[in-house]
Structure formats: C-alpha cells, structure tokens
Amino acid sequence: MRSLFRQFLPRQNQPQEITYKELDSKLIKAARYDLDAGHLYIRFHDGREVVYCRVTPYAYNAFLNADSFSDHFHSFISQRYLNYQVM
C-alpha cells in the first residue's frame, strides 16, 4: 500500500527542472531568475551563460518588461551586478 501513495507524493531530493524564459533579442537567448539566491542567469546567442548575483526581483521584473532586453541589459544589469560565467 505504501507504494501506491508514494506515486502521488512529491519526490524528495530530486532536482527540479530548471526552466528558462526564451527572449526575443538579438543578444540574449534566454533568462531565468533564482528568487532564493537572487541570481539572474542569462544565456547569450553565442553560447555563453553568465550569472548576475544579488539581483532584486524588482530588477528582474523591470528587465522582463523592458521594450528592448538588450538595451535594458546594457544600461541596468551588465555593469551593476557582480557576475561570473558558467562553464
């Protein structure tokens, strides 16, 4: 009987699927935001992925609602947040 209930319970210690939001931009392919860590992950069309640290939810929301993702990225994200490239 235990196995019957196990199929309906969420699995513990299983990694959650990471989903990126595809963006219509010449520079940026996709982005995702980790609310718990405050990290903004950006994938570029050239294959790079860069993590921007300590990004507020407000800043991420402003990025998603910008008229131009590339312009907003250059003006408000690229030089303002500590970042590192994912290898």
Coordinates of all heavy atoms in Angstrom, one line a residue:
M1 N 0.8 -1.2 0.0 CA 0.0 0.0 0.0 C 0.9 1.3 0.0 O 0.5 2.3 -0.5 CB -0.9 0.0 1.2 CG -2.0 1.0 1.2 SD -3.2 0.5 -0.1 CE -4.5 1.4 0.3
R2 N 2.0 1.1 0.6 CA 2.9 2.3 0.7 C 3.3 2.8 -0.7 O 3.4 4.0 -1.0 CB 4.1 1.9 1.5 CG 5.0 3.1 1.7 CD 6.2 2.7 2.6 NE 7.1 3.8 2.8 CZ 8.3 3.7 3.2 NH1 8.7 2.5 3.6 NH2 9.0 4.8 3.4
S3 N 3.6 1.9 -1.6 CA 4.0 2.3 -3.0 C 2.9 3.0 -3.7 O 3.2 3.9 -4.6 CB 4.5 1.1 -3.8 OG 3.4 0.2 -4.0
L4 N 1.6 2.7 -3.4 CA 0.5 3.4 -4.1 C 0.5 4.9 -3.7 O 0.4 5.7 -4.6 CB -0.8 2.8 -3.6 CG -2.1 3.5 -4.1 CD1 -2.1 3.4 -5.7 CD2 -3.3 2.9 -3.5
F5 N 0.8 5.2 -2.5 CA 0.8 6.6 -2.0 C 2.1 7.3 -2.5 O 2.1 8.5 -2.7 CB 0.6 6.7 -0.5 CG -0.7 6.3 -0.1 CD1 -0.9 5.1 0.6 CD2 -1.8 7.1 -0.4 CE1 -2.1 4.7 1.1 CE2 -3.1 6.7 0.0 CZ -3.3 5.5 0.7
R6 N 3.1 6.6 -2.6 CA 4.4 7.2 -3.0 C 4.3 7.8 -4.3 O 5.0 8.8 -4.6 CB 5.5 6.1 -3.0 CG 6.9 6.7 -3.2 CD 7.9 5.6 -3.1 NE 8.1 5.2 -1.7 CZ 8.8 4.2 -1.4 NH1 9.4 3.4 -2.2 NH2 8.9 3.9 -0.1
Q7 N 3.6 7.3 -5.2 CA 3.5 7.8 -6.6 C 2.8 9.2 -6.6 O 3.0 10.0 -7.5 CB 2.8 6.9 -7.5 CG 1.3 6.7 -7.2 CD 0.7 5.6 -8.2 OE1 1.2 5.4 -9.2 NE2 -0.4 5.0 -7.8
F8 N 2.0 9.5 -5.6 CA 1.3 10.8 -5.5 C 2.1 11.9 -4.7 O 1.8 13.0 -4.7 CB -0.1 10.6 -4.9 CG -0.9 9.8 -5.8 CD1 -1.3 8.5 -5.4 CD2 -1.4 10.2 -7.0 CE1 -2.1 7.7 -6.2 CE2 -2.1 9.4 -7.8 CZ -2.5 8.1 -7.4
L9 N 3.1 11.5 -3.9 CA 3.8 12.4 -3.1 C 5.0 13.0 -3.9 O 5.6 12.3 -4.8 CB 4.4 11.7 -1.9 CG 3.4 11.1 -0.9 CD1 4.0 10.3 0.2 CD2 2.5 12.3 -0.3
P10 N 5.3 14.2 -3.7 CA 6.5 14.8 -4.4 C 7.8 14.0 -4.0 O 7.9 13.7 -2.8 CB 6.5 16.2 -4.0 CG 5.7 16.3 -2.7 CD 4.7 15.2 -2.8
R11 N 8.6 13.8 -4.9 CA 9.8 13.1 -4.6 C 10.8 14.1 -3.9 O 11.0 15.2 -4.4 CB 10.5 12.6 -5.9 CG 9.6 11.5 -6.5 CD 10.3 11.0 -7.7 NE 9.4 10.0 -8.3 CZ 9.7 9.2 -9.3 NH1 10.9 9.3 -9.9 NH2 8.9 8.3 -9.8
Q12 N 11.4 13.6 -2.9 CA 12.3 14.3 -2.1 C 13.7 14.2 -2.7 O 14.0 13.2 -3.3 CB 12.4 13.8 -0.7 CG 11.0 13.9 0.0 CD 10.8 15.0 0.9 OE1 11.8 15.6 1.3 NE2 9.6 15.4 1.1
N13 N 14.5 15.2 -2.6 CA 15.9 15.2 -3.1 C 16.0 15.0 -4.6 O 17.0 14.6 -5.1 CB 16.7 14.1 -2.4 CG 16.8 14.3 -0.9 OD1 16.8 15.5 -0.4 ND2 16.8 13.3 -0.1
Q14 N 15.0 15.3 -5.3 CA 15.0 15.3 -6.8 C 15.2 16.7 -7.3 O 14.6 17.6 -6.9 CB 13.7 14.7 -7.4 CG 13.5 13.3 -7.1 CD 14.4 12.4 -7.9 OE1 14.8 12.7 -9.0 NE2 14.7 11.2 -7.3
P15 N 16.2 16.9 -8.2 CA 16.4 18.3 -8.7 C 15.2 18.7 -9.5 O 14.6 17.9 -10.3 CB 17.6 18.1 -9.6 CG 17.7 16.7 -9.9 CD 17.1 15.9 -8.8
Q16 N 14.8 19.9 -9.3 CA 13.6 20.5 -10.0 C 14.1 20.9 -11.4 O 15.3 21.3 -11.6 CB 13.1 21.7 -9.3 CG 12.4 21.3 -8.0 CD 11.8 22.6 -7.4 OE1 12.1 23.7 -7.7 NE2 11.0 22.3 -6.4
E17 N 13.2 20.8 -12.4 CA 13.6 21.1 -13.7 C 13.8 22.7 -13.8 O 12.9 23.4 -13.3 CB 12.5 20.7 -14.7 CG 12.8 21.0 -16.1 CD 11.7 20.6 -17.0 OE1 10.9 19.6 -16.7 OE2 11.6 21.1 -18.1
I18 N 14.9 23.1 -14.4 CA 15.2 24.5 -14.5 C 14.7 25.0 -15.8 O 15.0 24.4 -16.9 CB 16.7 24.7 -14.4 CG1 17.2 24.2 -13.0 CG2 17.1 26.2 -14.6 CD1 18.7 24.2 -12.9
T19 N 13.8 26.0 -15.8 CA 13.2 26.5 -17.0 C 13.7 27.9 -17.2 O 13.8 28.7 -16.3 CB 11.7 26.5 -16.9 OG1 11.3 27.2 -15.8 CG2 11.1 25.1 -16.8
Y20 N 14.1 28.2 -18.5 CA 14.5 29.5 -18.9 C 13.4 30.1 -19.7 O 12.6 29.4 -20.4 CB 15.7 29.4 -19.8 CG 17.0 29.1 -19.0 CD1 17.3 27.9 -18.5 CD2 17.9 30.2 -18.8 CE1 18.5 27.7 -17.8 CE2 19.1 30.0 -18.1 CZ 19.3 28.7 -17.6 OH 20.5 28.6 -16.9
K21 N 13.3 31.4 -19.6 CA 12.3 32.2 -20.4 C 13.0 32.6 -21.7 O 14.0 33.3 -21.7 CB 11.8 33.4 -19.6 CG 10.8 34.2 -20.4 CD 10.2 35.3 -19.5 CE 9.2 36.1 -20.2 NZ 8.1 35.4 -20.9
E22 N 12.5 32.1 -22.8 CA 13.1 32.5 -24.1 C 12.8 33.9 -24.4 O 11.6 34.4 -24.2 CB 12.5 31.6 -25.2 CG 12.9 30.1 -25.1 CD 14.3 29.8 -25.3 OE1 15.0 30.5 -26.1 OE2 14.9 28.9 -24.6
L23 N 13.7 34.7 -24.8 CA 13.6 36.1 -25.1 C 13.8 36.4 -26.6 O 14.6 35.8 -27.2 CB 14.5 36.9 -24.3 CG 14.4 36.7 -22.7 CD1 15.5 37.5 -22.0 CD2 13.1 37.1 -22.2
D24 N 13.0 37.4 -27.1 CA 13.1 37.8 -28.5 C 14.1 39.0 -28.5 O 13.8 40.1 -28.4 CB 11.8 38.3 -29.0 CG 11.8 38.7 -30.4 OD1 12.7 38.2 -31.1 OD2 10.9 39.4 -30.9
S25 N 15.4 38.6 -28.6 CA 16.5 39.6 -28.5 C 17.6 39.1 -29.4 O 17.9 37.9 -29.6 CB 17.0 39.7 -27.1 OG 18.2 40.5 -27.0
K26 N 18.3 40.1 -30.0 CA 19.5 39.7 -30.9 C 20.7 39.3 -30.0 O 21.5 38.5 -30.5 CB 19.9 40.9 -31.8 CG 18.9 41.2 -32.8 CD 19.3 42.4 -33.7 CE 18.2 42.7 -34.7 NZ 18.6 43.8 -35.5
L27 N 20.8 39.8 -28.8 CA 21.9 39.5 -27.9 C 21.6 38.3 -27.0 O 22.4 37.4 -26.8 CB 22.2 40.7 -27.1 CG 23.3 40.6 -26.1 CD1 24.7 40.4 -26.7 CD2 23.4 41.8 -25.2
I28 N 20.4 38.3 -26.4 CA 20.1 37.4 -25.3 C 19.2 36.3 -25.8 O 18.1 36.6 -26.4 CB 19.5 38.1 -24.1 CG1 20.5 39.2 -23.6 CG2 19.1 37.2 -23.0 CD1 19.9 40.2 -22.6
K29 N 19.5 35.1 -25.6 CA 18.7 33.9 -26.0 C 17.6 33.6 -24.9 O 16.4 33.4 -25.3 CB 19.6 32.7 -26.2 CG 18.8 31.5 -26.7 CD 19.7 30.3 -26.9 CE 19.0 29.1 -27.4 NZ 19.8 28.0 -27.6
A30 N 18.0 33.6 -23.6 CA 17.0 33.2 -22.6 C 17.6 33.7 -21.3 O 18.7 34.0 -21.1 CB 16.9 31.7 -22.6
A31 N 16.6 33.7 -20.3 CA 17.0 34.1 -18.9 C 16.1 33.4 -17.9 O 15.0 32.9 -18.2 CB 16.8 35.6 -18.8
R32 N 16.7 33.3 -16.7 CA 15.9 32.7 -15.6 C 16.3 33.4 -14.3 O 17.4 34.0 -14.3 CB 16.0 31.2 -15.5 CG 17.3 30.7 -14.9 CD 17.2 29.2 -14.7 NE 18.4 28.7 -14.1 CZ 18.6 28.5 -12.8 NH1 17.7 28.8 -11.9 NH2 19.7 28.0 -12.3
Y33 N 15.5 33.4 -13.3 CA 15.8 34.0 -12.1 C 15.6 33.1 -10.9 O 14.6 32.4 -10.8 CB 14.8 35.3 -11.9 CG 15.1 36.1 -10.7 CD1 16.3 36.8 -10.5 CD2 14.2 36.1 -9.6 CE1 16.5 37.5 -9.4 CE2 14.4 36.8 -8.5 CZ 15.6 37.5 -8.4 OH 15.9 38.3 -7.2
D34 N 16.6 33.0 -10.1 CA 16.5 32.2 -8.9 C 16.2 33.1 -7.7 O 17.0 33.9 -7.2 CB 17.8 31.5 -8.6 CG 17.8 30.6 -7.4 OD1 16.9 30.7 -6.6 OD2 18.8 29.7 -7.3
L35 N 14.9 33.1 -7.3 CA 14.5 34.0 -6.2 C 15.2 33.8 -4.9 O 15.5 34.7 -4.2 CB 13.0 33.8 -6.0 CG 12.3 34.8 -5.0 CD1 12.5 36.2 -5.4 CD2 10.8 34.4 -4.9
D36 N 15.4 32.5 -4.5 CA 16.1 32.2 -3.2 C 17.5 32.8 -3.2 O 17.9 33.3 -2.2 CB 16.1 30.7 -3.0 CG 14.7 30.1 -2.8 OD1 13.8 30.9 -2.3 OD2 14.5 29.0 -3.1
A37 N 18.2 32.6 -4.3 CA 19.6 33.1 -4.3 C 19.8 34.5 -4.8 O 20.8 35.2 -4.5 CB 20.4 32.2 -5.2
G38 N 18.8 35.0 -5.5 CA 18.9 36.4 -6.1 C 19.8 36.4 -7.3 O 20.4 37.4 -7.5
H39 N 19.8 35.3 -8.0 CA 20.7 35.2 -9.2 C 19.9 35.3 -10.4 O 18.9 34.6 -10.6 CB 21.5 33.9 -9.1 CG 22.5 33.8 -8.1 ND1 23.1 32.6 -7.8 CD2 23.0 34.7 -7.2 CE1 24.0 32.8 -6.8 NE2 23.9 34.1 -6.4
L40 N 20.4 36.0 -11.4 CA 19.8 36.1 -12.7 C 20.8 35.4 -13.7 O 22.0 35.8 -13.8 CB 19.7 37.6 -13.1 CG 19.2 37.9 -14.6 CD1 17.9 37.3 -14.8 CD2 19.2 39.4 -14.8
Y41 N 20.3 34.4 -14.3 CA 21.1 33.6 -15.3 C 20.7 34.1 -16.7 O 19.5 34.1 -17.0 CB 20.7 32.1 -15.2 CG 21.1 31.5 -13.8 CD1 20.3 31.7 -12.7 CD2 22.3 30.8 -13.7 CE1 20.7 31.2 -11.5 CE2 22.6 30.2 -12.5 CZ 21.8 30.4 -11.4 OH 22.2 29.9 -10.2
I42 N 21.7 34.4 -17.5 CA 21.4 34.9 -18.8 C 22.2 34.1 -19.8 O 23.4 33.9 -19.7 CB 21.7 36.4 -19.0 CG1 20.8 37.2 -18.1 CG2 21.6 36.8 -20.5 CD1 20.8 38.7 -18.4
R43 N 21.5 33.5 -20.8 CA 22.1 32.8 -21.9 C 22.2 33.7 -23.1 O 21.1 34.2 -23.5 CB 21.4 31.5 -22.2 CG 21.5 30.4 -21.2 CD 20.8 29.2 -21.6 NE 21.0 28.1 -20.7 CZ 20.3 27.0 -20.6 NH1 19.4 26.8 -21.5 NH2 20.6 26.1 -19.7
F44 N 23.3 33.8 -23.7 CA 23.5 34.6 -24.9 C 23.5 33.7 -26.1 O 23.7 32.5 -26.1 CB 24.9 35.3 -24.8 CG 24.9 36.3 -23.6 CD1 25.4 35.9 -22.4 CD2 24.4 37.6 -23.8 CE1 25.4 36.8 -21.4 CE2 24.4 38.5 -22.8 CZ 24.9 38.1 -21.5
H45 N 23.3 34.3 -27.3 CA 23.2 33.6 -28.5 C 24.6 33.0 -28.9 O 24.6 32.0 -29.7 CB 22.7 34.4 -29.7 CG 21.2 34.7 -29.6 ND1 20.3 33.7 -29.9 CD2 20.5 35.7 -29.3 CE1 19.1 34.1 -29.7 NE2 19.1 35.4 -29.4
D46 N 25.7 33.5 -28.4 CA 27.0 33.0 -28.7 C 27.4 31.8 -27.9 O 28.5 31.2 -28.0 CB 28.1 34.1 -28.6 CG 28.2 34.6 -27.2 OD1 27.6 34.1 -26.3 OD2 29.1 35.5 -27.0
G47 N 26.4 31.3 -27.0 CA 26.7 30.1 -26.2 C 27.1 30.4 -24.8 O 27.1 29.4 -24.0
R48 N 27.4 31.6 -24.4 CA 27.9 31.9 -23.0 C 26.6 31.9 -22.1 O 25.5 32.2 -22.5 CB 28.5 33.2 -22.9 CG 29.8 33.4 -23.6 CD 30.4 34.8 -23.5 NE 29.5 35.8 -24.1 CZ 29.1 36.9 -23.5 NH1 29.5 37.2 -22.3 NH2 28.3 37.7 -24.1
E49 N 26.9 31.6 -20.9 CA 25.9 31.8 -19.8 C 26.5 32.5 -18.7 O 27.6 32.1 -18.2 CB 25.3 30.4 -19.3 CG 24.2 30.6 -18.3 CD 23.5 29.3 -17.9 OE1 23.9 28.3 -18.5 OE2 22.6 29.4 -17.1
V50 N 25.9 33.6 -18.2 CA 26.5 34.4 -17.2 C 25.5 34.5 -16.1 O 24.3 34.7 -16.3 CB 26.9 35.8 -17.7 CG1 27.5 36.7 -16.6 CG2 27.9 35.7 -18.9
V51 N 26.0 34.4 -14.8 CA 25.2 34.6 -13.6 C 25.4 35.9 -13.0 O 26.6 36.3 -12.8 CB 25.5 33.5 -12.6 CG1 24.6 33.6 -11.4 CG2 25.3 32.1 -13.2
Y52 N 24.4 36.7 -12.8 CA 24.4 38.0 -12.1 C 23.9 37.9 -10.7 O 22.8 37.4 -10.5 CB 23.7 39.1 -12.9 CG 24.3 39.3 -14.3 CD1 24.0 38.5 -15.4 CD2 25.3 40.2 -14.4 CE1 24.6 38.6 -16.6 CE2 25.9 40.4 -15.7 CZ 25.6 39.6 -16.7 OH 26.2 39.8 -17.9
C53 N 24.7 38.2 -9.7 CA 24.4 38.0 -8.3 C 23.7 39.2 -7.7 O 23.9 40.3 -8.1 CB 25.7 37.7 -7.6 SG 26.6 36.3 -8.2
R54 N 22.9 38.9 -6.7 CA 22.2 39.9 -5.8 C 21.3 40.8 -6.6 O 21.2 41.9 -6.4 CB 23.2 40.7 -5.0 CG 24.1 39.8 -4.1 CD 25.1 40.6 -3.4 NE 24.4 41.0 -2.1 CZ 25.0 41.7 -1.2 NH1 26.2 42.1 -1.4 NH2 24.3 42.0 -0.1
V55 N 20.6 40.2 -7.6 CA 19.7 40.9 -8.4 C 18.3 40.8 -7.7 O 17.9 39.8 -7.3 CB 19.6 40.3 -9.8 CG1 18.5 41.0 -10.7 CG2 20.9 40.3 -10.6
T56 N 17.7 42.0 -7.5 CA 16.4 42.0 -6.8 C 15.3 41.5 -7.8 O 15.4 41.6 -9.0 CB 16.1 43.4 -6.3 OG1 15.9 44.3 -7.5 CG2 17.2 44.0 -5.4
P57 N 14.2 41.0 -7.2 CA 13.1 40.7 -8.0 C 12.5 41.9 -8.8 O 12.1 41.7 -9.9 CB 12.0 40.2 -7.0 CG 12.8 39.8 -5.8 CD 14.0 40.7 -5.8
Y58 N 12.6 43.1 -8.2 CA 12.2 44.3 -8.9 C 13.0 44.5 -10.2 O 12.5 44.8 -11.3 CB 12.3 45.5 -8.0 CG 12.0 46.8 -8.7 CD1 10.7 47.2 -8.9 CD2 13.1 47.6 -9.1 CE1 10.5 48.4 -9.6 CE2 12.8 48.8 -9.8 CZ 11.5 49.2 -10.0 OH 11.2 50.4 -10.6
A59 N 14.4 44.3 -10.1 CA 15.2 44.5 -11.2 C 15.0 43.4 -12.3 O 15.0 43.7 -13.5 CB 16.7 44.4 -10.8
Y60 N 14.7 42.2 -11.9 CA 14.3 41.1 -12.9 C 13.0 41.5 -13.6 O 12.9 41.3 -14.8 CB 14.3 39.8 -12.2 CG 13.9 38.7 -13.1 CD1 14.6 38.3 -14.2 CD2 12.7 37.9 -12.8 CE1 14.3 37.3 -15.0 CE2 12.3 36.9 -13.7 CZ 13.1 36.6 -14.7 OH 12.7 35.5 -15.6
N61 N 12.1 41.9 -12.8 CA 10.8 42.2 -13.4 C 10.9 43.4 -14.4 O 10.3 43.4 -15.5 CB 9.8 42.6 -12.3 CG 8.4 42.7 -12.8 OD1 7.9 41.9 -13.6 ND2 7.7 43.7 -12.4
A62 N 11.7 44.4 -14.0 CA 11.9 45.5 -15.0 C 12.6 45.1 -16.2 O 12.3 45.5 -17.3 CB 12.8 46.6 -14.3
F63 N 13.5 44.1 -16.1 CA 14.2 43.5 -17.3 C 13.2 42.8 -18.2 O 13.2 43.0 -19.4 CB 15.3 42.6 -16.8 CG 15.9 41.8 -17.9 CD1 16.7 42.4 -18.9 CD2 15.7 40.4 -18.0 CE1 17.3 41.6 -19.9 CE2 16.3 39.6 -19.0 CZ 17.1 40.2 -19.9
L64 N 12.3 42.0 -17.6 CA 11.3 41.3 -18.4 C 10.3 42.2 -19.1 O 9.8 41.9 -20.1 CB 10.6 40.3 -17.6 CG 11.4 39.1 -17.1 CD1 10.5 38.1 -16.4 CD2 12.1 38.3 -18.3
N65 N 10.1 43.4 -18.5 CA 9.1 44.3 -19.0 C 9.7 45.4 -19.9 O 9.0 46.3 -20.3 CB 8.3 44.9 -17.9 CG 7.4 43.9 -17.3 OD1 6.6 43.2 -18.0 ND2 7.4 43.8 -16.0
A66 N 11.0 45.3 -20.1 CA 11.7 46.4 -20.9 C 11.3 46.3 -22.4 O 10.9 45.2 -22.9 CB 13.2 46.2 -20.8
D67 N 11.3 47.4 -23.1 CA 11.0 47.4 -24.5 C 12.1 46.7 -25.3 O 11.8 46.0 -26.3 CB 10.8 48.9 -25.0 CG 9.6 49.6 -24.5 OD1 8.6 48.8 -24.2 OD2 9.6 50.8 -24.3
S68 N 13.3 46.9 -24.9 CA 14.4 46.2 -25.5 C 15.2 45.5 -24.4 O 15.8 46.1 -23.5 CB 15.3 47.2 -26.2 OG 16.5 46.6 -26.6
F69 N 15.3 44.1 -24.5 CA 16.0 43.4 -23.5 C 17.5 43.7 -23.6 O 18.2 43.9 -22.5 CB 15.9 41.9 -23.7 CG 14.5 41.4 -23.6 CD1 13.8 40.9 -24.7 CD2 13.8 41.5 -22.4 CE1 12.5 40.4 -24.5 CE2 12.5 41.1 -22.2 CZ 11.8 40.5 -23.3
S70 N 18.1 43.9 -24.7 CA 19.5 44.2 -24.9 C 19.8 45.5 -24.3 O 20.8 45.7 -23.6 CB 19.9 44.1 -26.4 OG 19.7 42.8 -26.9
D71 N 19.0 46.6 -24.7 CA 19.3 47.9 -24.1 C 19.2 48.0 -22.6 O 20.0 48.5 -21.9 CB 18.3 48.9 -24.8 CG 18.6 49.2 -26.2 OD1 19.7 48.8 -26.7 OD2 17.7 49.7 -26.9
H72 N 18.2 47.3 -22.1 CA 18.0 47.3 -20.6 C 19.1 46.6 -20.0 O 19.7 47.0 -19.0 CB 16.7 46.6 -20.3 CG 16.3 46.7 -18.8 ND1 15.7 47.8 -18.3 CD2 16.6 45.9 -17.8 CE1 15.5 47.6 -17.0 NE2 16.1 46.5 -16.7
F73 N 19.5 45.5 -20.6 CA 20.7 44.7 -20.0 C 21.9 45.5 -20.0 O 22.6 45.6 -18.9 CB 20.9 43.4 -20.9 CG 22.2 42.7 -20.6 CD1 22.2 41.9 -19.4 CD2 23.3 42.8 -21.4 CE1 23.4 41.2 -19.1 CE2 24.4 42.2 -21.1 CZ 24.5 41.4 -19.9
H74 N 22.3 46.2 -21.1 CA 23.5 47.0 -21.1 C 23.4 48.2 -20.1 O 24.4 48.6 -19.5 CB 23.8 47.5 -22.5 CG 24.3 46.5 -23.4 ND1 25.5 45.8 -23.1 CD2 23.9 45.9 -24.5 CE1 25.8 45.0 -24.0 NE2 24.8 45.0 -24.9
S75 N 22.2 48.8 -20.0 CA 22.0 50.0 -19.1 C 21.9 49.7 -17.6 O 22.4 50.5 -16.8 CB 20.8 50.8 -19.6 OG 20.9 51.2 -20.9
F76 N 21.3 48.6 -17.3 CA 20.9 48.4 -15.9 C 21.5 47.1 -15.2 O 21.4 46.9 -14.0 CB 19.4 48.4 -15.7 CG 18.8 49.7 -16.1 CD1 18.1 49.8 -17.3 CD2 18.9 50.8 -15.3 CE1 17.6 51.0 -17.7 CE2 18.4 52.0 -15.7 CZ 17.7 52.1 -16.9
I77 N 22.0 46.2 -16.0 CA 22.4 44.9 -15.4 C 23.9 44.6 -15.6 O 24.6 44.3 -14.6 CB 21.6 43.7 -16.0 CG1 20.1 43.9 -15.6 CG2 22.1 42.4 -15.5 CD1 19.2 43.0 -16.2
S78 N 24.4 44.7 -16.8 CA 25.7 44.2 -17.1 C 26.9 44.8 -16.3 O 27.8 44.0 -15.9 CB 26.1 44.4 -18.6 OG 26.2 45.8 -18.9
Q79 N 26.9 46.0 -15.9 CA 27.9 46.6 -15.2 C 27.6 46.9 -13.7 O 28.4 47.3 -12.9 CB 28.4 47.9 -15.8 CG 28.9 47.8 -17.2 CD 30.1 46.8 -17.3 OE1 31.0 46.9 -16.5 NE2 30.1 46.0 -18.3
R80 N 26.3 46.6 -13.3 CA 25.9 46.9 -12.0 C 26.0 45.8 -11.0 O 25.9 46.0 -9.8 CB 24.5 47.5 -12.0 CG 24.4 48.8 -12.7 CD 23.0 49.3 -12.5 NE 23.0 50.6 -13.3 CZ 22.1 51.6 -13.0 NH1 21.2 51.4 -12.1 NH2 22.1 52.7 -13.7
Y81 N 26.0 44.6 -11.5 CA 25.9 43.4 -10.6 C 27.2 42.5 -10.8 O 27.7 42.4 -11.9 CB 24.7 42.5 -10.9 CG 23.4 43.2 -10.6 CD1 22.7 43.8 -11.7 CD2 22.9 43.3 -9.3 CE1 21.5 44.5 -11.4 CE2 21.7 44.0 -9.1 CZ 21.0 44.6 -10.1 OH 19.9 45.2 -9.8
L82 N 27.7 42.0 -9.7 CA 28.8 41.1 -9.7 C 28.3 39.9 -10.5 O 27.2 39.4 -10.4 CB 29.1 40.6 -8.3 CG 30.2 39.6 -8.1 CD1 31.5 40.2 -8.5 CD2 30.2 39.1 -6.7
N83 N 29.2 39.4 -11.4 CA 28.8 38.3 -12.3 C 30.0 37.4 -12.5 O 31.1 37.7 -12.3 CB 28.3 38.9 -13.6 CG 29.3 39.6 -14.4 OD1 30.2 39.1 -15.0 ND2 29.2 41.0 -14.4
Y84 N 29.6 36.2 -13.0 CA 30.6 35.2 -13.4 C 30.0 34.3 -14.5 O 28.8 34.2 -14.6 CB 31.1 34.3 -12.2 CG 30.0 33.5 -11.5 CD1 29.7 32.2 -11.9 CD2 29.2 34.1 -10.5 CE1 28.7 31.5 -11.2 CE2 28.3 33.4 -9.8 CZ 28.0 32.1 -10.2 OH 27.0 31.4 -9.6
Q85 N 30.9 33.8 -15.3 CA 30.5 33.0 -16.4 C 30.4 31.5 -16.0 O 31.3 31.0 -15.3 CB 31.5 33.1 -17.6 CG 31.0 32.4 -18.8 CD 31.8 32.9 -20.0 OE1 32.5 33.9 -20.0 NE2 31.7 32.1 -21.1
V86 N 29.4 30.8 -16.4 CA 29.2 29.4 -16.1 C 30.0 28.7 -17.1 O 29.9 29.0 -18.3 CB 27.7 29.0 -16.2 CG1 27.5 27.5 -15.9 CG2 26.9 29.8 -15.2
M87 N 30.7 27.7 -16.7 CA 31.5 26.9 -17.7 C 30.9 25.6 -18.0 O 30.1 25.0 -17.4 CB 32.9 26.6 -17.1 CG 33.6 27.9 -16.9 SD 35.3 27.5 -16.5 CE 35.8 29.1 -15.9

